[in-house]
Amino acid sequence: MSVSVELRRAVSRGELELRYEPRLDTQTGLAVAAEAVLHWQPPSGAALEGDELLDLVTAADLGREIVEWSLEQVVHALAAWKAEGLQCLPVRLCVSLSQVTAGEMLQLVRRAMREGLDPRLLIVEWQQSPALDAMPAADKEALMELAQLDVRLGIGGFGARQSSLACLAALPLTEARLDASLINGIAA
């Protein structure tokens, strides 16, 4: 059985999980956010997570379904942390335009807000695919609306594709993660 078929079955059986990895302030060592990392332990092999699993999700055409499920899990986790009296940190959810459009993400976030999501606790990090310069105008408008809702927006892997720094300035981004190819070989 192919990994893609196994993944589809895993989704229907509820075998996926989100694991929350802390993001630390390098000066204080304190957690300032958490990153939601998709994890799956297939019956036929080694555990898969992060970018490797997201590539399989996209190849299996499960992107929108997984983004929707992941956002629901984040909403539930934040509610559980709050109920336990824990400090709720912003949670970064990495998505790609090949999984969901910015307009679809806007709809999902609005629904999550109706279910109790505090938008200030969500960071949507768009993986740079396709290049930001090629992003349709409707997606750019949806990003502006997400920012107006107080959702923090980021870009991951900036520089992996052709995009200009001017493009970053034109979008309502609060953070950017550079692709390793931009900094490889730079002496400390």
Side-chain angles (χ1 to χ4, degrees):
M1 177 177 349
S2 76
V3 175
S4 181
V5 170
E6 284 186 48
L7 181 57
R8 283 190 172 282
R9 288 184 180 167
V11 170
S12 66
R13 291 190 303 250
E15 295 176 357
L16 299 177
E17 66 177 301
L18 279 186
R19 294 184 176 176
Y20 298 93
E21 296 180 356
R23 294 294 167 235
L24 306 177
D25 180 305
T26 56
Q27 293 184 359
T28 66
L30 297 175
V32 293
E35 183 164 349
V37 178
L38 187 63
H39 179 86
W40 175 46
Q41 175 65 57
S44 65
L48 300 168
E49 63 182 23
D51 291 341
E52 182 181 15
L53 182 51
L54 289 178
D55 289 343
L56 284 174
V57 164
T58 301
D61 198 27
L62 292 169
R64 181 174 169 32
E65 184 177 348
I66 296 299
V67 170
E68 187 172 1
W69 175 84
S70 297
L71 185 56
E72 290 170 2
Q73 298 307 303
V74 168
V75 170
H76 293 306
L78 288 167
W81 297 339
K82 184 177 180 181
E84 292 175 22
L86 300 173
Q87 177 187 2
C88 291
L89 297 173
V91 175
R92 177 181 290 119
L93 185 61
C94 296
V95 298
S96 168
L97 288 171
S98 62
Q99 296 173 311
V100 62
T101 68
E104 290 170 326
M105 192 69 198
L106 175 62
Q107 292 173 355
L108 293 174
V109 168
R110 284 183 174 150
R111 185 174 73 200
M113 289 172 62
R114 288 190 298 273
E115 295 170 4
L117 173 69
D118 179 346
R120 296 169 299 174
L121 294 176
L122 180 63
I123 305 165
V124 176
E125 182 178 290
W126 297 95
Q127 298 306 304
Q128 193 181 350
S129 173
L132 292 176
D133 296 342
M135 182 183 287
D139 282 333
K140 290 179 183 177
E141 289 173 21
L143 290 179
M144 297 295 186
E145 288 187 52
L146 282 165
Q148 289 171 356
L149 293 174
D150 287 332
V151 173
R152 291 168 46 188
L153 301 172
I155 183 74
F158 181 76
R161 301 199 191 285
Q162 289 183 318
S163 285
S164 68
L165 289 175
C167 181
L168 286 182
L171 296 173
L173 302 174
T174 57
E175 54 191 77
R177 279 202 251 188
L178 300 178
D179 186 74
S181 66
L182 286 178
I183 57 175
N184 284 343
I186 296 176

